[in-house]
């Protein structure tokens, strides 16, 4: 199963990207478009993880 079929978020981002490029009058190569969308989603995920600490600070019960 391809990434577009298995993940609704990726599919929606891909379709929005294609629509935006078509509105600008650009011809879009589908392979390059999916690469661009995946890069954008990975950057977004990395930014979300950037501000989170890997340590869990639970209160200590005494």
């Amino acid at each position: 199963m391809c990434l577009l079929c298995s993940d609704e978020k990726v599919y929606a981002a891909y379709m929005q990207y294609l629509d935006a490029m078509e509105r600008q009058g650009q011809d879009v190569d589908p392979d390059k478009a999916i690469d661009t969308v995946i890069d954008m989603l990975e950057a977004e995920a990395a930014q979300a993880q950037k501000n989170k600490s890997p340590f869990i600070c639970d209160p200590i019960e005494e």
Side-chain angles (χ1 to χ4, degrees), residues 2-60:
C2 72
L3 181 62
L4 291 176
C5 298
S6 63
D7 191 340
E8 289 182 29
K9 182 178 179 181
V10 174
Y11 180 76
Y14 178 72
M15 295 307 293
Q16 289 174 356
Y17 179 80
L18 288 180
D19 288 343
M21 291 297 110
E22 287 179 1
R23 279 189 226 112
Q24 293 175 5
Q26 297 178 0
D27 290 330
V28 181
D29 179 20
D31 292 328
K32 289 182 183 178
I34 190 64
D35 291 339
T36 302
V37 169
I38 289 173
D39 290 343
M40 289 180 348
L41 292 173
E42 286 176 347
E44 183 181 296
Q47 183 65 28
Q49 289 294 329
K50 182 178 179 181
N51 298 329
K52 293 186 178 178
S53 172
F55 303 105
I56 298 172
C57 299
D58 290 332
I60 298 174

